[in-house]
Amino acid sequence: MIAAVLAVGLAGCSSSSSSSSSSTTPAAITPADKVTITRDSAGIPHITANNFRALGYGEALAFSQDNFCTLAQDFVTVNGQRSKYFGPKALSLNYSAGASDTNLDSDFFWQSVKSSGLVDQGLHQPPPLGPLPQVLSVYNGFVSGYNAYLKSGKLKDPTCAGKAWVRPITLSDMFLRGYQVVTEASSAQFLTMEANTKPPPATTTPATTTPASTSTTASASVGAPDPAALVADLGSNGNDTLGSNGIGVGSQDTAAGDGMVLANPHFPWRGTERFWMAQLTVPGQYNVEGGTLEGFPLIGIGFNQHVAWTHTVSTSFRFTFYQLSLVPGDPTSYYVDGQPVKMGTRTVAVDTGTGTARHTFYTTRWGTVADVARAGFHWTTAAAYAVDDSMGNDSFRAANQYLRMGQSTSVQSLLDVESSFLAIPTFNTIASDDTGHAYYGDVGNTPNVPLSLITTCTPKGLAQIVYSASGVVTLDGSRSACAWGTDPGTPVPGIFNASNLPHTIRTDYVENSNDSYWLANPSAPFPAYSPIIGTVDTEQGLRTRLGNQMIAQRVAGTDGFGAPKFTLGSLQSMWESNQSLQAQLTLTALVGACHASPSAKASNGTTVDLTAACTALAGYDKTGNLGASGGWLFSEWAAYAPSGNFWSDTFNAAQPLTTPSQLNTANPAILKALADAVLNLQSHHIALNATYGQVQHVTRNGTRIPIPGCDTGCFNAIYAADGTGGPLNAAPYGGVYDGSSLVLTTELTPGGPVSQGILTYSQATDPTSPWYDNMTKLYSQKKWVPLPYSASQLAQDHGTRTVTVAAAG
């Protein structure tokens, strides 16, 4: 233990300015306890151990040097203790960029999860539902390493050093964090809706509710849903912030005839859902490099000797609602097949720091009751709504799957792993291997809800309106026949097997940018699968369209980035070109309309002179590059632009990557949006021709770092606070809060992987760390860092620091 503590301090001395490598090795370390941690020049740790317990220990030490406080605060979250330490009314730590749950609601939810016993039940089940021995070992090791770092006294981050809420952790803490990760796009997003739900008085008579019925014609309509808000509130995963781009290139489209992957997840720049980079190695068993979300001790996106993979957020829903027909006079009982069933209850208590608050959750065979206001889903005396979540039993299975994914030797074996475990939480997978095969799949934990079940089991009325507006499925909870189906060969009931989920292996390319599976390769569109997975023949997002446009130009060699087909360098040049497809499609027409009508009324009624705005936009180069004059004005115009009647032409399923494309300049809201944008910039004292580099930024230890990228159809999507409303605009104006995060470009050569990447916000959240801003500055300059995988590649980095520690048990 003394050796381990000493090594913690030594490891913290890593410096990217070191001119030569060095190492420190404590004496008397047994082979089973030995962990070697080598920090490369970018601050990425390469961790090697002889077993998974020691690997987890070393990983926790290295991670804690960078991000201890962020994870420590999340352990407060998943233990339902935020109210005690941070006040019940404050907002909880973000799961994603837009999370806005109060601490009290968050605490109620997590106390309910803890009291449900789900974590303990899973821990004692055999694999695949319970943890594999290696997974359990790496988690146990991580717990020991985290606690050793805390005990060492080396914690200097002022965010949490010496705070009462910092404590040693247990295995349960880690598995609660795992549950948080897998349920973020399913039940966890209904946290507040469950925590604020309570039954109506039994005597209440709803004004607009049909009496309870076991028929599919029963409707429950209290108020009308808000279609514009449904997609955000009800969890459509094809959104722009919690999103991503992924490209897998096969032998036909690479210059060397091998495989190549671009990993480009768009994730929050703050909070728990930041990536952290590492190489984790147990010789002969596991050797994977890439990124992982904080507190998940296996690589989530990365590469090994033969395969590289990434994820994009899927359009697939991992949950459904059930509409309950309630027993008259008893709103906590519901019918199933004509028989009354009493709801279960789970009452939890939360220490608020000044007292105790309690809440009772109501449970059904279909899930927990929730009140979803924007869907019009309210608990009345006639109806209630429950959330059924496929991810609730997935925490250990997902960890098992990521272990096996890291051990894959080809994209086929990767598909076999996904097909066996079916545990991917709300992600597509894009991959390639060293034989030049590329893979796309939305093969995960998807509710077995085929179109036939949706057709026969969606209650008429409100549930149909919600489905039409958002794609969210609500089934009839009064009939057992409306339960999710079960396919043969699945590890748990109620989910699709791989034969009913979209996947393909090809030798040209696959691409996804958060639209459905339909056009993973446009030359071979997928047929329709269940609508719960996604839809076909539907309008594509700008990033999907741009991605396929850039790929076609790259393969043809017409993009100015060199000879035809992909090299690692041309893949990087393509990504960092920061093209804005929205600008390519609309800027010329917008400038023309502006010159034709150089004044317009803003939303506040002010008549705005647009003459200078016309000139600024005319000089914009249609990119998100730092020097793009007028780019910020265009971005603000796009933020204010109307979502309806934006295009004058319509989507054509026969031309999905090029339609629609014509700006509707006859819509007066187009110039009204420009007037609003002008007032926005003026109110913040921003010149109308300001560049992205002058506005879009992050600040690290008092230094302002300009950030390239844009949110107007840029592949390199970056989202910054712009004063247009919403919970994120508490950030400084122009401050980046979301977007490109971990970026990996990897070529799978016969001699092994060659990779370069960047972590846009850098490795560390600790402002005292040397890795707090180093990669952010490199990203600002369009620079990449090498990602050494083999010992010989790592030896070429002369700025490494190596320490050897004993993995204390």
Side-chain angles (χ1 to χ4, degrees):
M1 182 64 183
I2 294 175
V5 172
L6 288 173
V8 170
L10 290 167
C13 295
S14 300
S15 173
S16 60
S17 63
S18 300
S19 59
S20 61
S21 62
S22 63
S23 65
T24 303
T25 305
I29 298 179
T30 65
D33 292 333
K34 181 179 178 181
V35 186
T36 301
I37 305 172
T38 299
R39 287 268 190 180
D40 65 25
S41 294
I44 300 168
H46 302 256
I47 305 164
T48 302
N50 290 324
N51 58 69
F52 283 90
R53 180 187 65 83
L55 181 70
Y57 186 94
E59 181 184 4
L61 288 182
F63 173 85
S64 295
Q65 294 163 8
D66 297 340
N67 298 291
F68 184 93
C69 291
T70 304
L71 187 57
Q73 189 173 153
D74 197 49
F75 289 137
V76 178
T77 299
V78 298
N79 274 280
Q81 296 177 317
R82 292 193 62 82
S83 296
K84 176 181 178 180
Y85 294 108
F86 308 118
K89 294 183 179 180
L91 295 184
S92 66
L93 188 67
N94 292 337
Y95 305 146
S96 60
S100 56
D101 305 302
T102 67
N103 286 335
L104 183 58
D105 288 342
S106 175
D107 289 344
F108 282 146
F109 177 85
W110 285 106
Q111 291 291 352
S112 176
V113 171
K114 290 168 64 178
S115 66
S116 72
L118 281 173
V119 172
D120 290 337
Q121 292 169 19
L123 184 60
H124 294 96
Q125 292 188 83
L129 303 185
L132 289 163
Q134 301 97 319
V135 169
L136 188 57
S137 292
V138 77
Y139 270 84
N140 273 315
F142 195 97
V143 169
S144 296
Y146 178 99
N147 291 340
Y149 182 80
L150 177 59
K151 189 176 181 179
S152 74
K154 299 297 181 181
L155 177 60
K156 301 300 182 186
D157 187 344
T159 306
C160 71
K163 299 295 175 65
W165 46 269
V166 176
R167 57 168 176 80
I169 62 169
T170 67
L171 192 60
S172 292
D173 292 307
M174 288 294 292
F175 285 135
L176 284 168
R177 167 60 179 153
Y179 183 91
Q180 184 187 43
V181 170
V182 300
T183 60
E184 281 174 354
S186 50
S187 59
Q189 68 178 318
F190 302 110
L191 182 158
T192 294
M193 302 170 201
E194 292 180 5
N196 287 307
T197 298
K198 60 182 181 180
T203 57
T204 297
T205 301
T208 57
T209 302
T210 301
S213 169
T214 58
S215 165
T216 58
T217 62
S219 107
S221 177
V222 177
D226 178 359
L230 283 176
V231 173
D233 269 16
L234 298 185
S236 173
N237 296 324
N239 62 66
D240 284 329
T241 51
L242 191 61
S244 302
N245 304 309
I247 299 175
V249 190
S251 57
Q252 285 184 228
D253 290 343
T254 59
D258 49 24
M260 201 173 291
V261 169
L262 168 68
N264 180 206
H266 303 155
F267 264 57
W269 281 41
R270 58 193 184 196
T272 56
E273 305 318 299
R274 286 172 46 110
F275 284 94
W276 181 73
M277 298 181 71
Q279 181 179 10
L280 306 178
T281 304
V282 176
Q285 298 185 63
Y286 185 84
N287 187 6
V288 188
E289 184 167 0
T292 187
L293 294 179
E294 296 187 5
F296 184 73
L298 293 163
I299 297 300
I301 291 176
F303 57 92
N304 63 21
Q305 180 74 18
H306 303 287
V307 183
W309 77 91
T310 188
H311 292 308
T312 59
V313 174
S314 166
T315 55
S316 173
F317 291 102
R318 288 342 196 219
F319 66 92
T320 67
F321 288 108
Y322 274 91
Q323 180 178 301
L324 310 177
S325 294
L326 302 182
V327 175
D330 183 3
T332 60
S333 294
Y334 59 101
Y335 288 108
V336 178
D337 297 333
Q339 299 300 311
V341 180
K342 192 69 177 176
M343 294 180 184
T345 59
R346 185 181 302 128
T347 300
V348 297
V350 168
D351 182 349
T352 65
T354 58
T356 301
R358 288 179 172 82
H359 178 72
T360 297
F361 292 85
Y362 288 81
T363 60
T364 73
R365 66 179 292 173
W366 308 115
T368 304
V369 178
D371 191 290
V372 187
R374 287 192 177 177
F377 285 180
H378 298 289
W379 192 347
T380 71
T381 56
Y385 297 85
V387 184
D388 198 355
D389 180 7
S390 68
M391 304 303 299
N393 59 0
D394 195 35
S395 177
F396 299 103
R397 202 165 88 245
N400 294 339
Q401 176 167 319
Y402 276 98
L403 172 71
R404 296 299 188 223
M405 287 171 67
Q407 296 170 328
S408 298
T409 57
S410 66
V411 292
Q412 181 61 59
S413 67
L414 182 68
L415 171 59
D416 292 343
V417 169
E418 293 193 342
S419 302
S420 174
F421 287 93
L422 292 168
I424 292 288
T426 195
F427 298 135
N428 304 290
T429 302
I430 295 92
S432 191
D433 64 23
D434 55 3
T435 68
H437 289 84
Y439 162 67
Y440 163 83
D442 191 350
V443 180
N445 200 349
T446 305
N448 192 319
V449 181
L451 178 60
S452 58
L453 191 67
I454 297 173
T455 301
T456 60
C457 282
T458 301
K460 290 183 179 180
L462 184 58
Q464 292 177 322
I465 296 172
V466 168
Y467 177 64
S468 297
S470 66
V472 172
V473 173
T474 304
L475 301 173
D476 185 357
S478 70
R479 294 189 292 153
S480 61
C482 294
W484 298 353
T486 296
D487 286 346
T490 60
V492 293
I495 62 174
F496 284 122
N497 65 19
S499 66
N500 287 313
L501 297 168
H503 57 274
T504 185
I505 295 176
R506 310 176 56 84
T507 56
D508 47 3
Y509 80 90
V510 293
E511 191 275 348
N512 184 268
S513 294
N514 311 125
D515 284 303
S516 79
Y517 56 85
W518 176 39
L519 298 179
N521 184 289
S523 68
F526 276 107
Y529 287 77
S530 167
I532 202 169
I533 305 169
T535 58
V536 301
D537 297 332
T538 188
E539 185 175 334
Q540 301 295 285
L542 292 174
R543 284 186 288 109
T544 296
R545 294 168 61 177
L546 178 62
N548 283 281
Q549 172 184 297
M550 293 192 302
I551 291 169
Q553 293 170 347
R554 175 81 302 271
V555 172
T558 59
D559 57 5
F561 300 136
K565 300 189 177 183
F566 281 96
T567 63
L568 208 59
S570 62
L571 177 62
Q572 293 170 354
S573 296
M574 183 190 80
W575 179 80
E576 66 188 13
S577 63
N578 292 322
Q579 301 172 54
S580 165
L581 183 59
Q582 189 169 18
Q584 291 176 11
L585 296 176
T586 67
L587 184 61
T588 299
L590 176 61
V591 171
C594 185
H595 283 308
S597 301
S599 68
K601 279 193 174 183
S603 295
N604 65 5
T606 301
T607 298
V608 178
D609 183 353
L610 300 179
T611 304
C614 302
T615 302
L617 289 175
Y620 174 41
D621 68 2
K622 305 176 186 177
T623 76
N625 289 327
L626 294 182
S629 176
W632 187 256
L633 175 62
F634 182 83
S635 176
E636 289 304 281
W637 166 77
Y640 285 108
S643 56
N645 295 317
F646 182 82
W647 305 106
S648 61
D649 57 339
T650 59
F651 171 71
N652 182 349
Q655 300 174 307
L657 299 179
T658 56
T659 60
S661 63
Q662 304 298 315
L663 180 66
N664 184 11
T665 55
N667 182 354
I670 296 298
L671 289 184
K672 177 183 177 181
L674 184 56
D676 287 337
V678 168
L679 294 181
N680 179 303
L681 268 66
Q682 290 175 344
S683 69
H684 290 92
H685 309 289
I686 304 294
L688 297 184
N689 65 349
T691 66
Y692 276 103
Q694 291 171 320
V695 182
Q696 196 164 265
H697 71 284
V698 293
T699 301
R700 297 285 187 264
N701 287 332
T703 299
R704 183 184 175 104
I705 304 172
I707 300 298
C710 71
D711 62 355
T712 59
C714 274
F715 214 59
N716 176 20
I718 290 292
Y719 302 91
D722 60 6
T724 57
L728 298 168
N729 283 287
Y733 188 84
V736 173
Y737 59 83
D738 202 295
S740 289
S741 52
L742 174 72
V743 188
L744 304 177
T745 57
T746 306
E747 185 168 9
L748 289 311
T749 77
V754 177
S755 187
Q756 293 184 339
I758 200 73
L759 190 58
T760 57
Y761 38 63
S762 299
Q763 283 278 83
T765 53
D766 180 354
T768 69
S769 168
W771 318 122
Y772 180 57
D773 60 6
N774 62 314
M775 280 198 270
T776 308
K777 292 175 178 177
L778 293 174
Y779 167 65
S780 178
Q781 302 167 40
K782 292 189 178 182
K783 293 182 179 179
W784 302 77
V785 300
L787 303 177
Y789 179 80
S790 66
S792 60
Q793 289 173 335
L794 189 57
Q796 295 174 24
D797 185 340
H798 298 296
T800 62
R801 285 290 180 91
T802 298
V803 296
T804 301
V805 305

